[in-house]
Amino acid sequence: MAKPVVLGIETSCDETGLAVVVGGEIRSNVVASQVEIHARFGGVVPEVAARAHVESIKSLAHRALAEAEVHPDDVTAVAATQGPGLSGALVVGFSFGKAMAWTLGVDFIGVDHMEGHLLAPMFQHEGYEPPAVVLLASGGHSQIVHMPEWGVYNMMGGTIDDAAGEAFDKLGRFLGLGFPGGPAMDRLSSEGDPSAVQFPRALPDSPFDFSFSGLKTSVINWVRNSHASGEEVPIADVAASVQEAIVDVLVAKTFNAVDETGSQTVAGGGGVLANRRLRARMAEEAEKRNITLALPSPDLCTDNGAMIALAGQLALTWGRPVSWTGDVDAGMRLGHHH
Ligand code: KG4
Ligand code: ZN
Protein backbone atom coordinates (compact mmCIF):
# COMPACT_ATOMS: atom_id res chain seq x y z
CA MET A 1 0.00 0.00 0.00
CA ALA A 2 1.19 3.49 -0.81
CA LYS A 3 2.36 5.58 2.12
CA PRO A 4 -0.18 8.03 3.52
CA VAL A 5 0.55 11.66 2.54
CA VAL A 6 -0.92 13.91 5.21
CA LEU A 7 -1.16 17.68 5.19
CA GLY A 8 -1.18 18.95 8.79
CA ILE A 9 -2.58 22.33 9.82
CA GLU A 10 -2.03 24.01 13.18
CA THR A 11 -3.72 27.32 14.07
CA SER A 12 -4.70 26.95 17.74
CA CYS A 13 -2.79 29.96 19.03
CA ASP A 14 -0.18 32.30 17.59
CA GLU A 15 1.74 30.10 15.16
CA THR A 16 0.42 29.16 11.74
CA GLY A 17 1.92 25.73 11.06
CA LEU A 18 1.59 23.73 7.83
CA ALA A 19 3.41 20.48 7.18
CA VAL A 20 3.49 17.43 4.96
CA VAL A 21 4.16 14.09 6.64
CA VAL A 22 4.62 11.03 4.44
CA GLY A 23 4.51 7.61 6.09
CA GLY A 24 5.32 9.19 9.46
CA GLU A 25 8.28 11.19 8.14
CA ILE A 26 8.44 14.96 7.92
CA ARG A 27 8.77 16.18 4.33
CA SER A 28 8.12 19.84 5.14
CA ASN A 29 7.23 21.80 8.24
CA VAL A 30 6.72 25.55 7.87
CA VAL A 31 5.71 27.84 10.71
CA ALA A 32 4.77 31.52 10.56
CA SER A 33 5.14 32.99 14.02
CA GLN A 34 2.96 35.93 15.07
CA VAL A 35 5.20 36.75 18.02
CA GLU A 36 6.15 40.18 16.68
CA ILE A 37 2.52 41.08 16.05
CA HIS A 38 1.45 40.21 19.61
CA ALA A 39 4.59 41.44 21.39
CA ARG A 40 3.41 45.04 21.46
CA PHE A 41 0.26 43.92 23.30
CA GLY A 42 2.29 41.84 25.78
CA GLY A 43 0.33 38.68 24.97
CA VAL A 44 -1.73 36.91 22.32
CA VAL A 45 -4.80 38.89 21.23
CA PRO A 46 -7.34 36.28 19.97
CA GLU A 47 -8.95 38.38 17.23
CA VAL A 48 -5.56 39.54 15.95
CA ALA A 49 -4.32 35.93 15.95
CA ALA A 50 -7.28 34.71 13.89
CA ARG A 51 -6.77 37.44 11.27
CA ALA A 52 -3.05 36.75 11.03
CA HIS A 53 -3.81 33.04 10.40
CA VAL A 54 -6.18 34.05 7.58
CA GLU A 55 -3.48 36.19 5.99
CA SER A 56 -0.74 33.56 6.01
CA ILE A 57 -2.44 30.17 5.72
CA LYS A 58 -2.79 29.94 1.94
CA SER A 59 0.80 30.84 1.11
CA LEU A 60 2.04 28.52 3.86
CA ALA A 61 0.02 25.64 2.39
CA HIS A 62 1.66 26.30 -0.97
CA ARG A 63 5.10 26.42 0.64
CA ALA A 64 4.55 23.22 2.64
CA LEU A 65 3.51 21.32 -0.50
CA ALA A 66 6.29 22.84 -2.63
CA GLU A 67 9.03 22.10 -0.08
CA ALA A 68 7.76 18.55 0.29
CA GLU A 69 7.65 18.24 -3.52
CA VAL A 70 4.13 16.91 -3.17
CA HIS A 71 1.38 17.72 -5.66
CA PRO A 72 -1.99 18.50 -4.02
CA ASP A 73 -3.50 15.52 -5.87
CA ASP A 74 -1.08 13.21 -4.04
CA VAL A 75 -2.34 14.25 -0.61
CA THR A 76 -4.27 11.34 0.95
CA ALA A 77 -5.63 13.10 4.07
CA VAL A 78 -5.84 16.54 5.66
CA ALA A 79 -5.55 16.94 9.45
CA ALA A 80 -6.21 20.16 11.35
CA THR A 81 -6.18 21.13 15.01
CA GLN A 82 -9.70 20.94 16.47
CA GLY A 83 -8.82 22.14 19.98
CA PRO A 84 -7.91 23.13 22.60
CA GLY A 85 -7.05 26.72 21.73
CA LEU A 86 -8.55 30.04 20.74
CA SER A 87 -11.86 29.41 18.90
CA GLY A 88 -11.41 32.10 16.27
CA ALA A 89 -7.89 30.94 15.52
CA LEU A 90 -8.91 27.26 15.42
CA VAL A 91 -11.76 27.98 12.99
CA VAL A 92 -9.32 29.34 10.41
CA GLY A 93 -7.21 26.18 10.11
CA PHE A 94 -10.11 23.78 10.68
CA SER A 95 -12.26 25.32 7.93
CA PHE A 96 -9.34 25.70 5.54
CA GLY A 97 -8.49 22.03 6.11
CA LYS A 98 -12.05 20.87 5.57
CA ALA A 99 -12.31 22.87 2.37
CA MET A 100 -9.04 21.44 1.07
CA ALA A 101 -9.98 17.86 1.96
CA TRP A 102 -13.38 18.28 0.36
CA THR A 103 -11.87 19.71 -2.81
CA LEU A 104 -9.27 16.96 -3.01
CA GLY A 105 -11.79 14.25 -2.15
CA VAL A 106 -9.75 12.88 0.78
CA ASP A 107 -10.33 12.23 4.50
CA PHE A 108 -10.42 15.13 6.93
CA ILE A 109 -9.31 14.53 10.54
CA GLY A 110 -9.78 16.90 13.48
CA VAL A 111 -6.81 16.55 15.84
CA ASP A 112 -6.36 17.26 19.55
CA HIS A 113 -3.47 19.73 19.81
CA MET A 114 -2.14 18.10 23.00
CA GLU A 115 -2.23 14.66 21.37
CA GLY A 116 -0.07 16.19 18.64
CA HIS A 117 2.47 17.30 21.26
CA LEU A 118 2.27 13.89 22.91
CA LEU A 119 3.00 11.99 19.69
CA ALA A 120 5.68 14.37 18.34
CA PRO A 121 8.56 12.43 20.00
CA MET A 122 7.82 9.59 17.51
CA PHE A 123 9.48 11.55 14.70
CA GLN A 124 12.93 11.30 16.22
CA HIS A 125 12.82 8.44 18.74
CA GLU A 126 12.31 4.87 17.66
CA GLY A 127 12.42 3.87 21.32
CA TYR A 128 9.36 5.94 22.16
CA GLU A 129 6.79 3.31 23.05
CA PRO A 130 4.09 2.71 25.62
CA PRO A 131 3.90 2.19 28.49
CA ALA A 132 5.28 5.70 28.93
CA VAL A 133 4.86 8.77 31.10
CA VAL A 134 4.60 12.01 29.14
CA LEU A 135 5.01 15.54 30.46
CA LEU A 136 2.95 17.97 28.39
CA ALA A 137 3.77 21.59 29.16
CA SER A 138 2.72 24.48 26.95
CA GLY A 139 1.38 28.00 27.26
CA GLY A 140 -2.14 26.92 28.09
CA HIS A 141 -1.84 23.38 29.46
CA SER A 142 0.37 21.31 31.75
CA GLN A 143 -0.33 17.64 32.32
CA ILE A 144 1.33 14.41 33.27
CA VAL A 145 -0.09 11.61 31.17
CA HIS A 146 0.38 7.88 31.50
CA MET A 147 0.08 6.13 28.13
CA PRO A 148 -0.34 2.37 28.77
CA GLU A 149 -0.77 1.72 25.05
CA TRP A 150 -0.87 3.84 21.89
CA GLY A 151 -3.85 6.16 21.86
CA VAL A 152 -4.85 5.54 25.49
CA TYR A 153 -4.25 8.40 27.90
CA ASN A 154 -4.63 8.37 31.68
CA MET A 155 -4.36 11.80 33.26
CA MET A 156 -2.15 11.40 36.32
CA GLY A 157 -1.83 15.04 37.26
CA GLY A 158 -1.54 18.59 36.12
CA THR A 159 -1.45 22.16 37.24
CA ILE A 160 -3.95 23.37 39.78
CA ASP A 161 -3.52 26.99 38.62
CA ASP A 162 -1.20 28.36 35.91
CA ALA A 163 0.25 26.25 33.10
CA ALA A 164 4.06 26.01 33.18
CA GLY A 165 4.45 28.14 30.04
CA GLU A 166 2.06 30.70 31.48
CA ALA A 167 4.24 30.91 34.61
CA PHE A 168 7.33 31.46 32.43
CA ASP A 169 5.49 34.08 30.36
CA LYS A 170 4.02 36.00 33.32
CA LEU A 171 7.24 36.02 35.30
CA GLY A 172 9.25 36.89 32.20
CA ARG A 173 6.97 39.85 31.63
CA PHE A 174 7.26 40.89 35.28
CA LEU A 175 11.06 40.80 34.97
CA GLY A 176 10.82 43.03 31.89
CA LEU A 177 11.84 40.37 29.36
CA GLY A 178 8.90 41.01 27.02
CA PHE A 179 6.70 38.43 25.32
CA PRO A 180 6.91 35.47 25.20
CA GLY A 181 8.75 35.12 28.49
CA GLY A 182 9.72 31.43 28.19
CA PRO A 183 12.44 31.61 25.55
CA ALA A 184 13.75 34.88 27.06
CA MET A 185 13.98 33.30 30.53
CA ASP A 186 15.82 30.35 29.02
CA ARG A 187 18.39 32.65 27.35
CA LEU A 188 18.93 34.96 30.33
CA SER A 189 19.09 32.09 32.83
CA SER A 190 22.20 30.70 31.18
CA GLU A 191 24.04 33.81 32.45
CA GLY A 192 22.65 33.59 35.98
CA ASP A 193 23.11 31.56 39.16
CA PRO A 194 20.16 29.18 39.71
CA SER A 195 20.91 28.97 43.44
CA ALA A 196 21.00 32.76 43.95
CA VAL A 197 17.45 32.92 45.34
CA GLN A 198 15.59 30.00 46.91
CA PHE A 199 12.07 30.53 45.63
CA PRO A 200 9.46 28.16 47.08
CA ARG A 201 8.69 24.87 45.35
CA ALA A 202 4.95 24.46 45.72
CA LEU A 203 4.17 20.79 46.17
CA PRO A 204 0.41 20.21 46.29
CA ASP A 205 -0.83 17.10 48.11
CA SER A 206 -1.08 14.99 45.00
CA PRO A 207 2.36 13.65 44.02
CA PHE A 208 1.58 14.37 40.36
CA ASP A 209 0.07 17.88 40.53
CA PHE A 210 1.84 21.22 40.39
CA SER A 211 1.04 24.83 41.14
CA PHE A 212 2.76 28.04 40.10
CA SER A 213 0.71 30.87 41.56
CA GLY A 214 2.62 30.86 44.86
CA LEU A 215 5.91 31.14 43.00
CA LYS A 216 4.61 34.13 41.10
CA THR A 217 3.65 35.95 44.29
CA SER A 218 6.93 35.17 45.96
CA VAL A 219 9.00 36.39 42.99
CA ILE A 220 7.02 39.62 42.84
CA ASN A 221 7.47 40.19 46.58
CA TRP A 222 11.16 39.36 46.47
CA VAL A 223 11.86 41.80 43.64
CA ARG A 224 9.79 44.57 45.29
CA ASN A 225 11.56 44.08 48.61
CA SER A 226 14.95 44.25 46.91
CA HIS A 227 13.98 47.48 45.17
CA ALA A 228 12.61 48.93 48.42
CA SER A 229 15.82 48.21 50.26
CA GLY A 230 17.80 49.87 47.48
CA GLU A 231 19.53 46.67 46.43
CA GLU A 232 20.31 46.14 42.80
CA VAL A 233 18.28 43.22 41.40
CA PRO A 234 20.59 40.79 39.60
CA ILE A 235 18.12 40.01 36.85
CA ALA A 236 19.95 37.01 35.35
CA ASP A 237 20.22 35.44 38.81
CA VAL A 238 16.52 35.99 39.46
CA ALA A 239 15.62 34.50 36.06
CA ALA A 240 17.85 31.47 36.62
CA SER A 241 16.37 30.95 40.11
CA VAL A 242 12.80 31.22 38.81
CA GLN A 243 13.55 28.78 36.00
CA GLU A 244 15.13 26.37 38.49
CA ALA A 245 12.04 26.48 40.71
CA ILE A 246 9.69 25.74 37.78
CA VAL A 247 11.92 23.01 36.38
CA ASP A 248 12.41 21.38 39.82
CA VAL A 249 8.68 20.95 40.28
CA LEU A 250 8.03 19.70 36.73
CA VAL A 251 10.84 17.16 36.96
CA ALA A 252 9.94 15.97 40.47
CA LYS A 253 6.29 15.38 39.58
CA THR A 254 7.04 13.73 36.24
CA PHE A 255 9.45 11.28 37.80
CA ASN A 256 7.05 10.59 40.68
CA ALA A 257 4.74 9.36 37.93
CA VAL A 258 7.53 7.39 36.26
CA ASP A 259 8.38 5.67 39.55
CA GLU A 260 4.74 5.05 40.45
CA THR A 261 3.95 3.39 37.09
CA GLY A 262 7.32 1.71 36.65
CA SER A 263 7.48 3.12 33.11
CA GLN A 264 10.64 2.43 31.17
CA THR A 265 10.05 5.43 28.91
CA VAL A 266 9.56 9.08 29.74
CA ALA A 267 8.70 11.64 27.09
CA GLY A 268 7.65 15.25 26.76
CA GLY A 269 6.01 17.75 24.47
CA GLY A 270 4.83 21.34 24.30
CA GLY A 271 6.75 24.60 24.10
CA VAL A 272 8.16 24.43 27.64
CA LEU A 273 10.01 21.22 26.73
CA ALA A 274 12.21 23.40 24.51
CA ASN A 275 13.69 24.74 27.75
CA ARG A 276 17.34 23.75 27.96
CA ARG A 277 17.46 23.39 31.72
CA LEU A 278 14.32 21.21 31.76
CA ARG A 279 15.75 19.00 29.01
CA ALA A 280 19.05 18.60 30.86
CA ARG A 281 17.35 17.75 34.15
CA MET A 282 15.03 15.22 32.51
CA ALA A 283 18.05 13.60 30.84
CA GLU A 284 19.80 13.34 34.22
CA GLU A 285 16.83 11.71 35.92
CA ALA A 286 16.20 9.31 33.04
CA GLU A 287 19.84 8.30 33.04
CA LYS A 288 19.80 7.71 36.80
CA ARG A 289 16.97 5.21 36.28
CA ASN A 290 18.45 3.84 33.08
CA ILE A 291 15.21 4.46 31.18
CA THR A 292 14.51 5.86 27.71
CA LEU A 293 14.01 9.62 27.32
CA ALA A 294 12.09 10.77 24.22
CA LEU A 295 12.03 14.53 23.75
CA PRO A 296 11.38 16.13 20.36
CA SER A 297 14.00 18.61 19.14
CA PRO A 298 13.08 22.13 20.36
CA ASP A 299 11.47 23.13 17.04
CA LEU A 300 9.11 20.15 17.34
CA CYS A 301 8.28 20.96 20.98
CA THR A 302 6.74 24.30 20.05
CA ASP A 303 3.60 24.44 17.92
CA ASN A 304 3.90 23.02 14.41
CA GLY A 305 1.85 21.37 11.69
CA ALA A 306 3.96 18.19 11.51
CA MET A 307 2.72 16.88 14.87
CA ILE A 308 -0.87 17.49 13.74
CA ALA A 309 -0.28 15.58 10.49
CA LEU A 310 1.27 12.69 12.43
CA ALA A 311 -1.58 12.56 14.96
CA GLY A 312 -4.08 12.63 12.06
CA GLN A 313 -2.32 9.79 10.29
CA LEU A 314 -2.26 7.70 13.46
CA ALA A 315 -5.94 8.39 14.14
CA LEU A 316 -6.68 6.83 10.73
CA THR A 317 -4.32 3.92 11.41
CA TRP A 318 -5.98 3.30 14.77
CA GLY A 319 -9.38 3.28 13.10
CA ARG A 320 -10.82 6.29 14.89
CA PRO A 321 -14.04 7.43 13.24
CA VAL A 322 -13.55 10.25 10.74
CA SER A 323 -16.23 12.89 10.77
CA TRP A 324 -16.98 15.92 8.63
CA THR A 325 -19.54 17.28 11.05
CA GLY A 326 -17.20 18.05 13.95
CA ASP A 327 -16.66 21.64 15.02
CA VAL A 328 -13.71 23.26 16.77
CA ASP A 329 -13.62 22.78 20.55
CA ALA A 330 -11.70 25.47 22.45
CA GLY A 331 -11.84 23.39 25.65
CA MET A 332 -11.07 19.99 24.10
CA ARG A 333 -9.65 17.48 26.61
CA LEU A 334 -7.11 14.79 25.79
CA GLY A 335 -8.74 11.42 25.21
CA HIS A 336 -12.16 12.88 24.39
CA HIS A 337 -12.14 12.67 20.60
CA HIS A 338 -15.10 13.82 18.60
O1 KG4 B 1 3.21 24.45 22.78
P1 KG4 B 1 3.43 25.90 22.58
O2 KG4 B 1 4.33 26.34 21.47
O3 KG4 B 1 2.06 26.66 22.40
C1 KG4 B 1 0.93 26.30 23.14
O4 KG4 B 1 0.32 25.25 22.83
O5 KG4 B 1 0.68 27.03 24.13
O6 KG4 B 1 3.98 26.48 23.98
C2 KG4 B 1 4.22 27.84 24.14
C3 KG4 B 1 4.76 28.07 25.52
C4 KG4 B 1 4.89 29.54 25.87
O7 KG4 B 1 4.40 29.74 27.17
C5 KG4 B 1 6.39 29.76 25.80
O8 KG4 B 1 6.86 30.79 26.64
C6 KG4 B 1 6.92 28.42 26.25
O9 KG4 B 1 6.06 27.49 25.64
N1 KG4 B 1 8.30 28.21 25.81
C7 KG4 B 1 9.34 28.07 26.66
C8 KG4 B 1 10.49 27.93 25.87
N2 KG4 B 1 10.12 27.98 24.55
C9 KG4 B 1 8.77 28.14 24.54
N3 KG4 B 1 9.39 28.08 28.00
C10 KG4 B 1 10.59 27.92 28.58
N4 KG4 B 1 11.74 27.81 27.90
C11 KG4 B 1 11.75 27.80 26.54
N5 KG4 B 1 12.90 27.66 25.86
ZN1 ZN C 1 1.16 23.74 21.83
Side-chain angles (χ1 to χ4, degrees), residues 25-59:
E25 275 176 38
I26 300 177
R27 288 292 171 83
S28 65
N29 188 25
V30 294
V31 178
S33 173
Q34 306 174 5
V35 158
E36 277 168 35
I37 303 171
H38 298 290
R40 69 190 126 114
F41 303 109
V44 178
V45 182
E47 177 64 20
V48 173
R51 282 169 185 271
H53 287 307
V54 170
E55 275 165 29
S56 56
I57 195 162
K58 187 164 154 266
S59 65

Side-chain angles (χ1 to χ4, degrees), residues 116-200:
H117 279 309
L118 188 147
L119 296 170
M122 288 178 79
F123 284 125
Q124 295 153 321
H125 297 274
E126 280 186 12
Y128 179 37
E129 274 192 359
V133 163
V134 190
L135 169 64
L136 295 177
S138 67
H141 299 84
S142 295
Q143 291 164 323
I144 294 174
V145 182
H146 180 235
M147 174 171 67
E149 53 187 275
W150 288 122
V152 178
Y153 311 119
N154 301 327
M155 300 306 140
M156 292 192 72
T159 183
I160 57 175
D161 39 55
D162 290 351
E166 204 177 347
F168 269 115
D169 291 340
K170 285 181 179 169
L171 284 162
R173 172 153 41 151
F174 174 72
L175 296 176
L177 307 182
F179 167 84
M185 293 272 275
D186 190 343
R187 277 194 299 276
L188 188 60
S189 294
S190 62
E191 296 158 26
D193 172 8
S195 61
V197 191
Q198 278 301 306
F199 290 120

Side-chain angles (χ1 to χ4, degrees), residues 10 12-15 84 113-114 117 137-141 163-169 179-187 243 269-278 298 301-304 307:
E10 156 59 34
S12 68
C13 192
D14 60 344
E15 325 269 1
H113 179 86
M114 298 313 286
H117 279 309
S138 67
H141 299 84
E166 204 177 347
F168 269 115
D169 291 340
F179 167 84
M185 293 272 275
D186 190 343
R187 277 194 299 276
Q243 176 176 277
V272 176
L273 276 295
N275 185 271
R276 288 173 292 172
R277 184 68 184 142
L278 177 58
C301 286
T302 49
D303 290 350
N304 64 84
M307 67 181 193

